[in-house]
């Protein structure tokens, strides 16, 4: 029944959030040097900084916590998690980690090679950081449509450009490529999905040259839902049938379970290769903890075993993806320029089209983050000139990124559509007055440019 689109849950416990005044928020912005990461969460009304680790757990998950087996080795809770992972990934081996980037680190140690290329659609920053430390060359080969924020025509804007992989193989030789990493969904360009056909074709091409394929699968269920809804031949398949097929095309998968795992901490390293598992376990013992807990408690493992299943629930996903679309639709009605189509975990506003008079070196998307918090107490995050800007290693001249957005990350099962309306109305008002805003100046940044957004300081121009 099409009209039944409300949340597939009822609320059993609530957490108070605080409305504040514009004057108060102006003071806190100043104290935070206009950096949203430095604002205290208690002073935020609706927090859309990230969808990571912010999910609300279900009553089933909270009761599973009590079953946590805190044994150092061979915990019952590990075996429950293993079964849940095998069911969804269709792969035999799992090493838990304390969060996704620890799984990224293990993966980078095993698959990124000094002086060799690591191809991705758009690499997630923590893998990119790990790969660069190891001397590998991460390259982003998302299709061109994936960089065009205004075009809604392509249903899978996270796809990898196969021609670009072929050209690199031709130019450098296949032995210069150590791994292909497919991130589902593609976070950096708007939570855009990758099609099954693309995963299949990338895997077939890599297989011909013996290049291993890894899937970075923080948002595996959201990607599977898009495949079911948008790709021919998947309408009648279940979410788990789709996830299992996705992972049938890779050797290894990593996951930050803080996203579709519906828990607040944790990560997974999953593989079908016994040798890879053994090496991953060695690294885990050194860096994370013993192989059956990997830096997590037994209760964390329990909550994740349940959360993974709930994250793949059809009714949950329908609600989830449609809530994000609801916010996107309200913003479009008000003329606010967003990345289209809306993706899985948030709405991305195009900073350059929102403030066309603010040049990229004056941080238009960061200005929008500041305006949104000032007007409505809503915290979003800049993914643009500050977060993705870099510097020429020789001349230190700034290099400005293709992507210039503000992400409104939507936490899972946390906010209602009334909260979405508050966000849409506030942005609509700011958009009406957009010509009154001027840009910003970066007055402080840390020594590592790729991490500067976490600690940067700004002034208003
Ligand atoms: C969040 C994320 C990570 C890192 O995971 P953490 O749990 O934050 O350490 C890696 N890859 C992708 C695609 C992610 O979204």
């Amino acid at each position: 029944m099409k009209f039944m689109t409300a949340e597939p849950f009822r609320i059993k416990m609530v957490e108070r959030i605080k409305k504040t005044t514009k004057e108060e928020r102006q003071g806190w912005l100043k104290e935070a040097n206009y950096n949203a990461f430095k604002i205290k969460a208690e002073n935020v009304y609706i927090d859309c900084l990230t969808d990571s680790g912010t999910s609300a757990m279900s009553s089933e998950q909270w009761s599973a916590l009590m079953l946590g087996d805190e044994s150092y080795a061979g915990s019952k809770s590990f075996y429950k998690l293993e079964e849940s992972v095998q069911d969804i990934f269709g792969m035999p081996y799992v090493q838990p980690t304390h969060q996704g980037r620890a799984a990224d680190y293990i993966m980078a140690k095993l698959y990124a090679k000094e002086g060799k290329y690591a191809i991705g659609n758009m690499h997630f920053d923590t893998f990119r950081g790990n790969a660069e430390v190891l001397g590998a060359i991460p390259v982003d080969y998302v299709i061109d449509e994936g960089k065009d924020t205004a075009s809604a025509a392509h249903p899978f804007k996270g796809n990898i450009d196969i021609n670009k992989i072929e050209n690199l193989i031709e130019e450098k030789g296949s032995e210069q490529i150590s791994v292909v990493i497919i991130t589902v969904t593609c976070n950096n360009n708007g939570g855009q999905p990758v099609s099954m056909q693309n995963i299949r074709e990338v895997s077939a091409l890599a297989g011909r040259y013996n290049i291993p394929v890894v899937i970075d699968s923080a948002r595996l269920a959201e990607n599977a839902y898009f495949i079911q809804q948008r790709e021919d031949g998947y309408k009648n398949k279940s979410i788990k049938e789709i996830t299992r097929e996705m992972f049938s095309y890779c050797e290894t998968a990593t996951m930050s379970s803080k996203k579709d795992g519906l828990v607040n901490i944790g990560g997974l390293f999953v593989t079908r290769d016994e040798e890879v598992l053994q090496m991953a376990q060695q690294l885990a013992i050194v860096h994370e903890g013993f192989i059956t807990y990997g830096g997590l408690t037994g209760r964390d493992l329990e909550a994740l075993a349940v959360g993974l299943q709930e994250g793949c629930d059809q009714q949950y996903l329908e609600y989830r993806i449609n809530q994000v679309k609801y916010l996107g639709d309200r913003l479009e009605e008000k003329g606010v320029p967003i990345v289209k189509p809306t993706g899985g975990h948030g709405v991305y506003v195009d900073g350059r089209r929102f403030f066309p008079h603010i040049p990229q070196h004056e941080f238009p998307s960061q200005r929008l983050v500041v305006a949104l918090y000032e007007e409505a107490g809503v915290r979003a995050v800049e993914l643009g000139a500050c977060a993705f800007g870099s510097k020429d290693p020789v001349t230190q001249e700034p290099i400005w990124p293709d992507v210039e957005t503000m992400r409104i990350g939507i936490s899972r099962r946390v906010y209602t559509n009334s909260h979405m309306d508050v966000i849409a109305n506030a942005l609509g008002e700011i958009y009406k007055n957009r010509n009154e805003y001027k840009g910003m100046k970066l007055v402080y940044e840390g020594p590592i440019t790729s991490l500067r957004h976490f600690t940067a300081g700004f002034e208003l121009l």
Side-chain angles (χ1 to χ4, degrees):
M1 277 180 276
K2 260 294 163 227
F3 57 86
M4 291 181 69
T5 54
E7 290 80 357
F9 52 80
R10 54 184 177 181
I11 296 166
K12 195 162 189 153
M13 184 190 282
V14 294
E15 180 182 358
R16 184 174 177 268
I17 50 179
K18 193 169 72 182
K19 289 189 191 176
T20 54
T21 66
K22 187 168 172 176
E23 288 66 38
E24 284 175 320
R25 293 192 294 271
Q26 283 167 335
W28 291 320
L29 274 168
K30 218 170 175 181
E31 278 172 28
N33 299 311
Y34 298 96
N35 183 338
F37 285 97
K38 295 204 245 168
I39 295 170
K40 282 188 182 155
E42 66 170 337
N43 295 332
V44 175
Y45 180 43
I46 303 173
D47 205 345
C48 299
L49 184 81
T50 179
D51 66 317
S52 179
T54 55
S55 301
M57 292 208 295
S58 65
S59 49
E60 283 80 3
Q61 285 177 292
W62 281 106
S63 54
L65 291 184
M66 291 303 293
L67 303 173
D69 171 359
E70 308 302 344
S71 302
Y72 185 95
S75 149
K76 269 195 297 215
S77 307
F78 170 78
Y79 294 105
K80 281 191 208 160
L81 175 65
E82 184 183 60
E83 195 181 315
S84 186
V85 168
Q86 287 166 342
D87 180 43
I88 286 162
F89 288 74
M91 291 203 270
Y93 306 122
V94 57
Q95 171 64 59
T97 60
H98 82 277
Q99 62 182 87
R101 66 200 63 191
D104 277 351
Y105 169 76
I106 293 173
M107 190 263 285
K109 277 287 232 194
L110 299 183
Y111 290 100
K113 300 267 148 51
E114 189 171 356
K116 299 203 172 167
Y117 292 88
I119 297 174
N121 39 359
M122 291 177 106
H123 290 299
F124 192 76
D125 19 335
T126 52
F127 169 78
R128 177 181 295 278
N130 280 318
E132 283 176 354
V133 169
L134 294 165
I137 310 164
V139 287
D140 288 347
Y141 282 173
V142 73
I143 55 171
D144 289 340
E145 292 91 329
K147 295 181 206 154
D148 178 0
T149 63
S151 149
H154 202 294
F156 291 101
K157 287 167 78 171
N159 281 359
I160 295 195
D161 190 329
I162 308 252
N163 290 331
K164 284 190 190 154
I165 305 183
E166 279 173 339
N167 292 344
L168 188 72
I169 291 175
E170 213 158 275
E171 201 183 307
K172 307 279 180 186
S174 62
E175 65 293 343
Q176 292 306 311
I177 298 156
S178 71
V179 62
V180 179
I181 299 165
I182 309 171
T183 300
V184 299
T185 55
C186 187
N187 178 41
N188 291 9
N189 72 344
Q192 300 291 327
V194 183
S195 72
M196 192 73 87
Q197 187 185 344
N198 190 250
I199 299 175
R200 194 183 301 123
E201 286 175 5
V202 167
S203 170
L205 174 65
R208 279 203 292 285
Y209 295 97
N210 271 323
I211 303 168
V213 173
V214 171
I215 300 184
D216 185 351
S217 53
R219 301 179 181 87
L220 62 103
E222 292 171 3
N223 201 80
Y225 182 79
F226 283 118
I227 288 175
Q228 187 192 53
Q229 298 297 311
R230 294 181 183 172
E231 190 162 348
D232 284 345
Y234 290 92
K235 206 171 62 225
N236 298 318
K237 293 236 155 93
S238 72
I239 295 299
K240 282 193 217 168
E241 283 172 316
I242 295 171
T243 56
R244 286 182 211 132
E245 184 183 341
M246 279 161 46
F247 295 108
S248 72
Y249 301 119
C250 70
E251 177 173 290
T252 289
T254 56
M255 180 179 187
S256 165
S257 48
K258 298 169 72 174
K259 283 80 169 210
D260 281 355
L262 293 174
V263 290
N264 307 116
I265 199 71
L268 297 171
F269 180 96
V270 188
T271 186
R272 63 180 74 260
D273 187 300
E274 222 179 312
E275 265 175 52
V276 169
L277 173 75
Q278 280 162 7
M279 291 187 299
Q281 288 176 333
Q282 299 297 297
L283 288 165
I285 291 172
V286 179
H287 294 282
E288 294 295 293
F290 188 63
I291 53 178
T292 54
Y293 74 88
L296 297 172
T297 66
R299 52 185 177 273
D300 291 326
L301 304 174
E302 293 277 346
L304 177 53
V306 177
L308 280 170
Q309 298 293 327
E310 293 180 355
C312 289
D313 178 73
Q314 183 72 32
Q315 290 182 16
Y316 156 74
L317 282 167
E318 186 177 316
Y319 139 77
R320 162 74 178 156
I321 301 297
N322 279 304
Q323 181 170 55
V324 173
K325 182 171 182 301
Y326 175 85
L327 175 60
D329 290 348
R330 295 292 81 73
L331 288 170
E332 272 210 273
E333 282 164 16
K334 295 171 192 299
V336 174
I338 62 168
V339 176
K340 293 196 292 186
T342 47
H345 63 285
V347 177
Y348 292 56
V349 181
D350 187 316
R352 269 181 294 213
R353 285 193 286 133
F354 194 104
F355 287 137
H357 56 287
I358 302 181
Q360 215 177 358
H361 66 263
E362 290 176 5
F363 304 96
S365 308
Q366 181 63 22
R367 186 64 191 88
L368 189 51
V369 169
V370 169
L372 182 59
Y373 177 74
E374 181 179 2
E375 291 303 328
V378 176
R379 173 159 68 171
V381 73
E382 192 247 29
L383 294 179
C386 182
F388 295 146
S390 55
K391 284 182 190 148
D392 184 291
V394 181
T395 63
Q396 291 294 302
E397 279 297 303
I399 301 171
W400 304 108
D402 293 337
V403 183
E404 182 59 57
T405 60
M406 174 182 79
R407 180 182 74 183
I408 307 163
I410 309 296
S411 295
R412 293 167 180 80
R413 304 191 293 205
V414 170
Y415 293 114
T416 67
N417 283 2
S418 311
H419 295 111
M420 300 302 116
D421 288 334
V422 170
I423 301 169
N425 292 339
L427 272 172
E429 284 305 305
I430 298 167
Y431 191 60
K432 273 191 214 149
N433 303 325
R434 61 192 174 277
N435 292 326
E436 291 165 23
Y437 290 88
K438 296 198 184 74
M440 313 194 73
K441 190 172 154 199
L442 183 67
V443 291
Y444 169 77
E445 61 179 303
I448 302 173
T449 307
S450 63
L451 300 177
R452 68 181 176 185
H453 47 297
F454 296 113
T455 56
F458 296 92
E459 277 168 10
L460 296 179
L461 288 176

